[in-house]
Amino acid sequence: MSFVIPQFEEQVSRCPYSAKIWCGYVQALKEQDFSPLQYFSVYERALGHLPRSYKLWHSYLNDRVFHLRNTPINSKKFDLLIDLYERCLVFMGKMPRIW
């Protein structure tokens, strides 16, 4: 992984169940102008550890939607977004703000 930020990787390895650290990691990647696919992979890793984190899901979904803002609605990328929302609802079904 060429987009690793060592200080965050160390924090994540010590405390993988902290949503605050994961969100900080994603924010640092955004500030350093990494591609969205790179910080999406960090979100995926985070959700592997914290699948019931509203904060992570909400941020991830918003970033995915923002990333697709100029994409035609019939693009296959929207199918991936729909799949992501469905996966989110498996864990966050009782969170009305998600749906």
Side-chain angles (χ1 to χ4, degrees):
M1 288 198 271
S2 61
F3 58 91
V4 170
I5 299 176
Q7 64 269 26
F8 281 103
E9 281 297 324
E10 182 183 329
Q11 290 177 355
V12 162
S13 67
R14 280 188 282 133
C15 189
Y17 301 104
S18 171
K20 184 177 179 180
I21 293 172
W22 285 108
C23 287
Y25 194 174
V26 171
Q27 190 60 37
L29 289 171
K30 287 180 189 178
E31 288 171 359
Q32 294 183 14
D33 294 327
F34 284 94
S35 78
L37 296 177
Q38 291 170 323
Y39 57 82
F40 291 162
S41 69
V42 173
Y43 275 125
E44 289 291 339
R45 286 177 52 208
L47 290 169
H49 292 286
L50 298 162
R52 296 194 180 271
S53 171
Y54 173 81
K55 185 176 185 178
L56 284 170
W57 276 113
H58 187 262
S59 181
Y60 187 26
L61 291 170
N62 284 340
D63 284 347
R64 279 284 191 169
V65 169
F66 181 78
H67 180 65
L68 294 176
R69 70 190 179 282
N70 295 325
T71 306
I73 194 74
N74 59 355
S75 172
K76 292 287 184 192
K77 292 179 181 179
F78 277 98
D79 292 338
L80 296 173
L81 181 65
I82 291 167
D83 291 343
L84 185 63
Y85 268 96
E86 289 174 353
R87 198 174 90 206
C88 173
L89 288 175
V90 168
F91 298 106
M92 306 300 291
K94 295 188 179 200
M95 290 295 216
R97 287 201 175 257
I98 291 292
W99 27 284

